[in-house]
Amino acid sequence: MRKLSFDQFGVMSVGYQQYSLEYTLDSIAESGLKYVDFWGGAPHYCAFDTPPEKRQEKVLAIRKMLDDRGLKMSVFTAEQICLYPINVASDNEYVRKNSIRIVKEYIEDTKAFGAKYFFPQMGYCMFDGDRDSAYGRSVEALKEIAAYAEKLGVKMVMEQLQMYESNLCYDRQTLKYLIDEVDSPCLTACVDCVAAASAGESIEDYYDTFGRIDHVHLADGNPAGHMVPGDGSNPLEHYLETLIGHGFDGSITLEINNQIYFDDPDTATKRAAEWLRKCPLIESTPADAAHR
């Protein structure tokens, strides 16, 4: 039986947001995982904690920190949802234009980081706002962003969210609508397993809708929660079996993003890596076996 490889997995650094970047990368490297899905937020790195004239210097320093620890960046996931004043679908023209400018700079950073993907977001609409108009603004912005990514040779993957994160993209149909409307070869689908479970959807549903999936966010939940594998009740092995059945050979992010782990993300990451090692559907590599 074919298996997924341990080396396909990385962890998102969002769980370390109350720790230094040095601690974060040391912890991930010590877990044996080789990929970092780099969360672009304060205090690690974002548009709001780094002066424009220091941006290139900071990006190159982060890339060196990764190289020094034998890590690679699978995805640059810059914060763009609610917590930060970035909303490409905003009805405030200043916010929308400034958001697009920041995202374009993040795409430049993605290339400099050597990341496989940039992770754009579609923005959101006020719950008492005009959602049809917001969809129009989102598509227009994403087309501009995708054109810039194409120019720089940067690939992008976009996921469905949960309603509290974006009321413009909360299931496979709304994600397909946005990707189809943007119609760019550099923008393809990622599936978030927690958001899918929360919407009553399966990974197979996403294959039926998109034909292929280029990136996956894997975490446990009840069904929500973005928890360490094994801490929730979601059918993680079934998700992995579906991916194997479709010959999935892309990257998978362990998105451990729950406040119950924020005081000790090191233990959470190591527990997640150990779950992968024990999973009968995942093949350890010689390098990982040596790490153990």
Side-chain angles (χ1 to χ4, degrees):
M1 176 185 174
R2 183 181 177 274
K3 297 183 179 183
L4 295 169
S5 169
F6 183 88
D7 281 353
Q8 289 177 253
F9 292 82
V11 66
M12 191 181 292
S13 59
V14 64
Y16 292 83
Q17 59 188 261
Q18 292 175 266
Y19 284 80
S20 69
L21 183 55
E22 290 81 1
Y23 179 96
T24 299
L25 299 182
D26 283 344
S27 170
I28 294 172
E30 287 168 8
S31 76
L33 294 165
K34 300 300 181 187
Y35 282 106
V36 178
D37 187 324
F38 185 55
W39 178 72
H44 296 166
Y45 171 70
C46 71
F48 305 100
D49 67 0
T50 304
E53 67 274 11
K54 296 287 187 179
R55 184 166 66 93
Q56 185 176 24
E57 178 183 340
K58 182 69 177 285
V59 167
L60 294 177
I62 292 171
R63 181 158 186 177
K64 184 177 187 304
M65 291 171 68
L66 291 164
D67 291 344
D68 288 348
R69 291 162 175 81
L71 296 171
K72 292 187 179 296
M73 191 182 297
S74 53
V75 188
F76 180 30
T77 303
E79 183 60 67
Q80 301 158 69
I81 302 176
C82 301
L83 298 176
Y84 285 70
I86 299 178
N87 181 5
V88 299
S90 176
D91 60 1
N92 181 317
E93 188 67 10
Y94 172 77
V95 171
R96 192 177 73 86
K97 286 186 175 180
N98 195 46
S99 298
I100 294 170
R101 176 188 62 80
I102 290 170
V103 172
K104 285 181 175 179
E105 291 177 349
Y106 283 153
I107 290 171
E108 294 170 2
D109 296 340
T110 302
K111 185 169 185 176
F113 282 135
K116 185 176 181 180
Y117 297 115
F118 175 69
F119 209 84
Q121 298 293 359
M122 68 297 300
Y124 54 92
C125 178
M126 296 293 101
F127 278 93
D128 61 343
D130 182 342
R131 202 175 298 181
D132 287 342
S133 296
Y135 271 118
R137 292 189 296 271
S138 177
V139 169
E140 181 184 359
L142 287 170
K143 282 184 175 181
E144 183 176 342
I145 289 163
Y148 194 65
E150 284 186 52
K151 179 181 176 182
L152 295 186
V154 173
K155 295 180 180 179
M156 305 191 297
V157 285
M158 192 164 69
E159 67 175 355
Q160 89 290 15
L161 300 169
Q162 296 177 73
M163 184 66 80
Y164 75 90
E165 297 171 304
S166 175
N167 53 5
L168 299 182
C169 188
Y170 46 83
D171 60 15
R172 67 188 187 279
Q173 296 300 337
T174 47
L175 179 62
K176 181 170 174 55
Y177 168 79
L178 288 167
I179 290 177
D180 285 353
E181 287 294 305
V182 174
D183 191 24
S184 168
C186 78
L187 179 64
T188 55
C190 165
V191 59
D192 184 298
C193 294
V194 167
S198 298
E201 298 176 327
S202 69
I203 308 305
E204 191 66 48
D205 290 334
Y206 279 79
Y207 274 104
D208 288 344
T209 299
F210 292 96
R212 61 171 289 151
I213 296 169
D214 283 334
H215 186 68
V216 175
H217 279 180
L218 182 72
D220 215 336
N222 293 305
H226 284 103
M227 301 162 74
V228 169
D231 284 0
S233 57
N234 289 350
L236 302 192
E237 290 196 5
H238 178 66
Y239 299 159
L240 298 179
E241 287 171 349
T242 302
L243 294 171
I244 291 168
H246 284 275
F248 180 80
D249 61 358
S251 47
I252 303 173
T253 289
L254 293 165
E255 188 185 1
I256 303 167
N257 185 10
N258 191 304
Q259 290 183 341
I260 63 175
Y261 308 115
F262 281 4
D263 62 336
D264 187 11
D266 179 71
T267 296
T269 295
K270 287 180 170 59
R271 287 180 55 226
E274 189 60 24
W275 185 91
L276 295 177
R277 292 187 178 100
K278 292 179 178 179
C279 180
L281 300 170
I282 299 171
E283 188 78 54
S284 292
T285 61
D288 178 56
H291 176 86
R292 287 184 288 176

